Amino acid sequence: MPVILGGAATSSDTIMLLWRCGPNQTAPSPRHAFMSSDIKKQHRDSFTSSFGVLAATLGSAVGLGNIWKVPYLTGANGGAGFLLIYLLATLAIGLPVMIAEIAIGRRGHANPITALQTIAPHQGPWWLIGVAGMIGSFLIVSFYSEVAAWVFAYVIKALGGTLLSSDPNVTAAAFEALIQHPLRSLIWQWVVLGLIGGILTMGVTKGIEAVTKRLMPLLFLLLLVLCGVSLSLEQAATGLAFLFKPDFSRLTTTAVLTAMGLAFFKLSIGMGTMMTYGSYFKREQNIPVTAFRVMCADMAVSLLAGIAIFPAVFTFGFAPEAGPSLVFITLPAVFSQLPMGQAFMAAFFVLTAVAATGALLSLIEVPVAILHERLRISRRRATALTLTLLALPSAGAALSQSLLANTRIAGLNLFELFDFLSSNIVLPVGGIFIALFVGWVWGRNNFRAALSNDGLLANQQLANAIFILLRYISPILILLIMGKGLKLF
Ligand code: PHE
């Protein structure tokens, strides 16, 4: 029996349904009541194997963050000191919040809004975390899909050999020609969004899981090859020292906020992505162990990306603090000086495109799951609706270097604004509320039951420790770092 009935809801219908059709509310019409019970009986698409869970979750965490953000932020904030703070924030704040999100998602067995309503009915509007997540997803996808667009365009350019020049002025001109061309920026962005949309309509098992299971091993393989090349270069030691020897004099409070925001961004937490993926986890999946593995593998990818990039940057005499353009201007110039540089450059951008794909799938899955389940429309329609809603903000980010270059808010163009707001405000605030929800509303017993798979795993003490972190430490720490970083006190 097809689950999805009826045509697409009209927009006002849509908004009403979205908020009113929770599991605890009465559905607005008999037709919807029928659909509701019908949907409950339906088998929910999910991840089918432990490797699939790991590949998809790691696919979400590993992304442009590792290859584009971590290296340029590390370069711009003085190297190892910044990395160390990022590592600490990941362990003390990121990991507990990630575990909490996955646990909520799996217990609620639904999109973030419904999941929060299901596990804590009549206990306040905590489902708003899911709504904020959806907004966060739109903010991030808008600029993220544009960076992914550059990467996909660079795959073609690298294969065609048009980026081969050891002169950074030439590679800079090539980059500017791409980002300052309104139509090219938009077209590449929609190539990426269309591809991701296509995979998402195939579903969780056949789309997300199947694709990430194939792409993740490829990513590791390419990364290891590039590290090998980089480590064989003359200045490998200088690059490694920059990456691993802390210089705390360059660490400002803003850098600490940036490092924490990066921890959230990297682990895909604070906006319901991990809740959504948690809802596809198998009942017997060990949540803390999976989260820990994903965190370690994600960290490893960031470090390997740093190892692949910095020795090469130093060997050919470039500045590590080039900022966001490091990957697009500095690296092509670096690769051009290597033997077989064109092949390695192509490998690098394929690797980055792979990473961006896994992350974008999980980012866009948040609104898709919400719209699919709340509005009871098919995944295909939910994906189409999501992409339609994305058209405006993503065009804003894509055109921020050309037609909208003069549109600035608080000194930032739209691209920078979306990036700043999401990493430094939406995700950390989301993290505070997720921690408070588990610590003060859902409660210790429910949390322990969820983490131990209802008593099947002997991890009570671990669950207790994570619970204490979530109840007291994480919210205060996040608030302090945000307050200081944003100069609120
Ligand atoms: N973790 C992804 C990256 O590093 C980005 C992301 C953020 C994905 C939030 C999903 C949710 O690129």
Side-chain angles (χ1 to χ4, degrees), residues 5-335:
L5 308 170
T10 57
S11 53
S12 60
D13 241 15
T14 303
I15 294 172
M16 292 311 290
L17 270 168
L18 190 58
W19 310 138
R20 294 207 345 235
C21 256
N24 319 307
Q25 273 94 351
T26 6
S29 75
R31 179 170 150 252
H32 288 118
F34 163 67
M35 282 190 271
S36 157
S37 61
D38 201 39
I39 254 185
K40 272 191 193 140
K41 272 186 242 139
Q42 212 250 338
H43 165 74
R44 199 164 174 268
D45 204 1
S46 61
F47 300 140
T48 54
S49 65
S50 283
F51 179 61
V53 171
L54 203 65
T57 316
L58 186 60
S60 166
V62 168
L64 293 170
N66 308 61
I67 300 163
W68 171 66
K69 259 190 179 222
V70 175
Y72 96 69
L73 286 175
T74 307
N77 289 292
F82 177 83
L83 268 188
L84 197 67
I85 301 292
Y86 157 58
L87 184 74
L88 287 178
T90 300
L91 280 173
I93 305 173
L95 192 59
V97 173
M98 182 178 184
I99 291 172
E101 268 198 50
I102 298 176
I104 293 170
R106 190 175 62 183
R107 257 300 190 260
H109 202 54
N111 66 82
I113 297 179
T114 311
L116 286 158
Q117 288 178 335
T118 311
I119 64 172
H122 316 301
Q123 294 189 54
W126 292 94
W127 51 271
L128 283 172
I129 296 174
V131 177
M134 194 158 151
I135 297 170
S137 156
F138 285 127
L139 276 181
I140 298 180
V141 174
S142 296
F143 76 87
Y144 202 93
S145 59
E146 187 51 28
V147 184
W150 304 336
V151 173
F152 277 72
Y154 264 52
V155 170
I156 306 293
K157 282 178 190 282
L159 287 173
T162 54
L163 289 171
L164 278 178
S165 165
S166 52
D167 179 357
N169 290 324
V170 176
T171 55
F175 184 51
E176 274 153 25
L178 173 66
I179 66 173
Q180 291 174 358
H181 194 293
L183 207 58
R184 263 184 228 152
S185 311
L186 278 178
I187 290 175
W188 277 108
Q189 185 177 45
W190 279 93
V191 167
V192 172
L193 288 174
L195 172 78
I196 303 294
I199 299 174
L200 286 177
T201 54
M202 297 194 298
V204 178
T205 316
K206 296 203 182 110
I208 301 175
E209 184 177 356
V211 169
T212 49
K213 255 163 63 176
R214 290 183 177 86
L215 291 186
M216 277 294 114
L218 174 70
L219 180 132
F220 275 93
L221 188 76
L222 290 175
L223 197 53
L224 288 177
V225 171
L226 291 172
C227 281
V229 174
S230 194
L231 285 176
S232 68
L233 296 173
E234 217 175 285
Q235 291 293 324
T238 322
L240 292 183
F242 176 76
L243 205 54
F244 293 114
K245 255 209 217 132
D247 169 10
F248 289 109
S249 65
R250 297 187 55 184
L251 215 55
T252 58
T253 44
T254 320
V256 175
L257 173 67
T258 310
M260 182 181 72
L262 183 64
F264 274 89
F265 186 84
K266 279 303 320 114
L267 291 179
S268 313
I269 52 173
M271 51 153 286
T273 303
M274 286 297 158
M275 263 184 230
T276 311
Y277 271 22
S279 76
Y280 304 137
F281 269 42
K282 300 187 309 164
R283 294 172 62 93
E284 60 278 16
Q285 189 81 20
N286 188 330
I287 295 178
V289 168
T290 309
F292 184 71
R293 283 194 185 141
V294 168
M295 183 215 84
C296 290
D298 177 57
M299 193 67 78
V301 173
S302 294
L303 293 181
L304 289 174
I307 293 174
I309 292 174
F310 287 112
V313 168
F314 279 96
T315 299
F316 297 109
F318 290 103
E321 52 275 278
S325 59
L326 181 71
V327 162
F328 299 100
I329 297 177
T330 312
L331 286 189
V334 167
F335 280 122

